[in-house]
Amino acid sequence: MPKGRLEAFSDGVIAILITIMVLELHTPQGTSWDALREDVPVLLAYALSFIYLGIYWNNHHHMLAAVHRVSGAALWANLHLLFWLSLVPLTTAWMSENDFPPIPTAVYGMTLLAAAIAYYLLQTILLRVDGGQSMLRAAIGTDFKGKASPLLYCLGIGLSFVNRWAGVTVYVVVALMWLVPDRRVERTLTAGRGDPG
Amino acid sequence: MPKGRLEAFSDGVIAILITIMVLELHTPQGTSWDALREDVPVLLAYALSFIYLGIYWNNHHHMLAAVHRVSGAALWANLHLLFWLSLVPLTTAWMSENDFPPIPTAVYGMTLLAAAIAYYLLQTILLRVDGGQSMLRAAIGTDFKGKASPLLYCLGIGLSFVNRWAGVTVYVVVALMWLVPDRRVERTLTAGRGDPG
Amino acid sequence: MPKGRLEAFSDGVIAILITIMVLELHTPQGTSWDALREDVPVLLAYALSFIYLGIYWNNHHHMLAAVHRVSGAALWANLHLLFWLSLVPLTTAWMSENDFPPIPTAVYGMTLLAAAIAYYLLQTILLRVDGGQSMLRAAIGTDFKGKASPLLYCLGIGLSFVNRWAGVTVYVVVALMWLVPDRRVERTLTAGRGDPG
Amino acid sequence: MPKGRLEAFSDGVIAILITIMVLELHTPQGTSWDALREDVPVLLAYALSFIYLGIYWNNHHHMLAAVHRVSGAALWANLHLLFWLSLVPLTTAWMSENDFPPIPTAVYGMTLLAAAIAYYLLQTILLRVDGGQSMLRAAIGTDFKGKASPLLYCLGIGLSFVNRWAGVTVYVVVALMWLVPDRRVERTLTAGRGDPG
């Protein structure tokens, strides 16, 4: 099954999610700097979720670039991933509008955890379709980040109940870990094309 | 008429629908587990509609992959299908926010029924354009699911007035019926390419 | 300049517009048939605007299929058209939620009129880029519908002040006029390919 | 790395942003001309932001057309640009619904300034990937507009505190400056193809 429409649909959904989050932001109450300052935590939570969705789009982009075809099961695994990502705007709003209390902050982490697991499932299914010698397999390598993220999310969820900022800090750290350029896939893809650049 | 833009437009609309449903979800009132628990029926209704829209996208994807060209009538039949699908977020919200009372639950089923009929019309028009020997004809086969769904929706609509959960249960069963992998089209397409895989 | 991204962007915007209109629909107050019945005029206005946006997408699709390249001016003429279309959800809501009073009904017609003029401008610019012997020129022919629509919108705008339903009726008539299959472009395109079908 | 999905994702996000701004517009209070007149400043602010997003789409379109490949860093620079653009609907609403007071008007300019800087960063990264002899380098030329815009935004931000309309006027002037057809890239691209037209 060609992968074009799967890519297009995923791009569409992630583009919409990353954009409609802004609809959950309310204009500040009043027109002073103080009014804006009160909204800063909400804006930072928005920025964090924007980065997370950007990371997912980016990784999804690379993963699909490394496979040649997809199966029916991959379509559903992809929708499953999109389902959890679609809850990000809601949990971001719940967490940030209430000033980061324990339960919503933990639930935010659970959404990230569920998305990470869904991503792992999708990756596993794509690998099975593509076969053992696949370019994707080579590109993933030891998949350190993919394995560390769920553990860190669990840590963040637990810490949310200890101190509200500790949980959020872990989520920020995971985002930064992914933001650090990851040239594995790019390098492998380039190597696969015999391109020295 | 080439089918590319029809696919792209449908992907766009379904991607938007599946995503904006989340805008109908309100953040829980309060920050306790109880507040979240109260929202669980709304979240489950959201998940059900997410799956339905995913099924439509999936089936639409397969159906269009099996035809070579589309007609002007197919463009309108497609828009007609998208119209009914566009009402899914509204009827989902009406049903779930009011805790699944008879009439909204029946109206939810009517929207699904109308979408199923619109899908059938689109399929019929595409078959006419593609001719009798078409790959789509072979892929559809007896179309058991396509024929059973409208009957089951009617059953669900009727049962909504008897017991609120009976109607919803039928809608869940239909969704599960479609979720079970349907390899007909995939197999036919693969066979058509002479690919043993 | 290739036309691919212009088509993709326009498809995106029209797909979003046709879909987000549903966000302007409020769930009925209450769960009775009466509650639903009160929303029927709003739903019909939604259906009318859905059809109008569908007509624009359809015509846009055909028009772009008949040209080979676009100019910088065409990009802006296209954005100008999308601007007026983007006001359709707003004027639909203003008109229908207030039960079709004279001024909002007239303003709805003015939005349609402005979109029709913008479409005509875009068509003119595309023709200039494509040259006098273009396939688009042949496809348009006498452009009866394109010329009649603005006059009918003016009539509808005027009639809105006489009788609320008279104005809406004219808008419905224009929509129906466009819905009647228009095989000109399709026929010309097919002929241009030397395809007898 | 091929640029197709980057273009598609950016088109998606900008198309959504330009469209969902309309969701921030409230239907006028009442059904009189006066009610509509009160909304005129909000509508004009909407039109200004629509034009700005259109300019960004247009320039983005041209810039990507002039490069052959993108890097991982370009994906993130692009997301960074989209982040600032995503705040445009919010700052537009904050500024216009409060009748253009100093601070929100200045913050609107800051969003435009941040987007302009992000655009410049993206352009710089694309140039580095494409190499010194790139078509993009030739197309940009002295980049007068790109250099003048941030300075003008700073002027507008400052003037917002002096007189509310002075700041907005500067933003309108920058938009007009970009709207004036800029044939540089188009000419260079055409020349690169050896096309005299």
Side-chain angles (χ1 to χ4, degrees), chain C residues 25-195:
Chain C
L25 299 176
H26 306 293
T27 53
Q29 301 285 327
T31 62
S32 62
W33 289 119
D34 280 343
L36 188 61
R37 202 172 302 132
E38 269 173 34
D39 268 17
V40 164
V42 174
L43 286 168
L44 289 178
Y46 170 69
L48 179 62
S49 293
F50 192 98
I51 291 171
Y52 263 114
L53 288 172
I55 289 168
Y56 270 101
W57 175 70
N58 219 328
N59 289 350
H60 193 272
H61 181 133
H62 281 89
M63 181 163 66
L64 266 293
V67 297
H68 297 103
R69 39 181 194 157
V70 297
S71 61
L75 294 189
W76 283 109
N78 193 55
L79 274 168
H80 177 235
L81 169 62
L82 295 177
F83 176 76
W84 291 111
L85 293 180
S86 82
L87 294 179
V88 167
L90 188 73
T91 51
T92 306
W94 195 33
M95 174 178 73
S96 64
E97 280 166 17
N98 291 296
D99 212 17
F100 303 85
I103 293 173
T105 306
V107 169
Y108 181 75
M110 288 172 196
T111 312
L112 295 178
L113 177 62
I117 293 171
Y119 188 86
Y120 181 79
L121 284 175
L122 174 59
Q123 185 177 282
T124 306
I125 287 172
L126 288 174
L127 278 174
R128 208 159 47 199
V129 177
D130 235 42
Q133 314 299 325
S134 78
M135 198 152 66
L136 179 57
R137 167 79 67 204
I140 291 169
T142 58
D143 196 18
F144 169 72
K145 287 181 187 178
K147 282 170 188 153
S149 296
L151 298 177
L152 287 169
Y153 291 139
C154 290
L155 179 67
I157 293 165
L159 285 176
S160 301
F161 294 101
V162 180
N163 178 302
R164 63 180 68 190
W165 301 116
V168 173
T169 303
V170 175
Y171 308 149
V172 171
V173 166
V174 178
L176 291 177
M177 183 180 82
W178 282 102
L179 269 180
V180 171
D182 181 2
R183 304 211 177 277
R184 284 175 314 172
V185 176
E186 228 172 304
R187 212 185 306 120
T188 313
L189 280 176
T190 311
R193 288 201 217 90
D195 181 336

Side-chain angles (χ1 to χ4, degrees), chain B residues 1-2 5-6 8-9 12-13 16-17 20-21 23-24 69-73 75-76 78-80 82-84 86-87 89-90 93-94 97-98 101-104 106-107 110 161, chain C residues 7 10-12 14-16 18-20 22-23 25-33 35-36 43 46-47 50-51 54-55 57-58 60-62 64 178-179 183 186 193 195 197:
Chain B
M1 205 181 302
R5 257 187 103 177
L6 177 67
F9 187 75
V13 171
I16 298 157
L17 283 174
I20 62 173
M21 270 198 300
L23 293 175
E24 308 267 6
R69 41 183 191 153
V70 296
S71 61
L75 294 189
W76 282 109
N78 192 55
L79 274 167
H80 177 235
L82 295 177
F83 176 76
W84 291 111
S86 82
L87 294 179
L90 187 74
W94 195 34
E97 281 165 17
N98 292 296
I103 293 173
V107 168
M110 289 173 196
F161 294 100
Chain C
E7 288 187 325
S10 308
D11 281 3
I14 298 177
I16 298 157
I18 215 170
T19 320
I20 63 172
V22 86
L23 293 175
L25 299 176
H26 306 293
T27 53
Q29 301 285 327
T31 62
S32 62
W33 289 119
L36 188 61
L43 286 168
Y46 170 69
F50 192 98
I51 291 171
I55 289 168
W57 175 70
N58 219 328
H60 193 272
H61 181 133
H62 281 89
L64 266 293
W178 282 102
L179 269 180
R183 304 211 177 277
E186 228 172 304
R193 288 201 217 90
D195 181 336

Side-chain angles (χ1 to χ4, degrees), chain A residues 11 19 22 30 46 58 60-61, chain D residues 5 9 17 75-76 86 94:
Chain A
D11 280 3
T19 319
V22 85
Y46 169 69
N58 220 329
H60 193 273
H61 181 133
Chain D
R5 257 188 105 177
F9 186 74
L17 282 174
L75 295 189
W76 282 109
S86 82
W94 195 33

Side-chain angles (χ1 to χ4, degrees), chain A residues 1-2 5-6 8-9 12-13 16-17 20-21 23-24 69-73 75-76 78-80 82-84 86-87 89-90 93-94 97-98 101-104 106-107 110 161, chain B residues 7 10-12 14-16 18-20 22-23 25-33 35-36 43 46-47 50-51 54-55 57-58 60-62 64 178-179 183 186 193 195 197:
Chain A
M1 207 181 301
R5 257 187 105 176
L6 178 67
F9 187 75
V13 171
I16 299 157
L17 282 174
I20 62 172
M21 270 198 301
L23 293 175
E24 306 268 7
R69 41 183 191 154
V70 296
S71 62
L75 295 189
W76 281 109
N78 193 55
L79 274 167
H80 177 236
L82 295 177
F83 176 76
W84 291 110
S86 82
L87 293 179
L90 188 74
W94 195 34
E97 281 165 17
N98 292 296
I103 293 173
V107 169
M110 289 172 196
F161 294 100
Chain B
E7 288 186 325
S10 308
D11 279 2
I14 299 176
I16 298 157
I18 215 170
T19 320
I20 62 173
V22 86
L23 293 175
L25 299 177
H26 305 294
T27 53
Q29 301 285 327
T31 61
S32 62
W33 289 118
L36 188 61
L43 286 168
Y46 170 69
F50 191 98
I51 291 170
I55 289 167
W57 176 71
N58 220 328
H60 193 273
H61 181 133
H62 281 89
L64 267 293
W178 282 102
L179 268 180
R183 305 211 177 277
E186 229 173 302
R193 290 202 215 89
D195 182 335

Side-chain angles (χ1 to χ4, degrees), chain B residues 66 124 127-128 130-142 188:
Chain B
T124 307
L127 279 174
R128 208 160 48 198
D130 235 41
Q133 315 299 326
S134 79
M135 197 153 66
L136 179 58
R137 168 78 68 204
I140 292 169
T142 58
T188 313

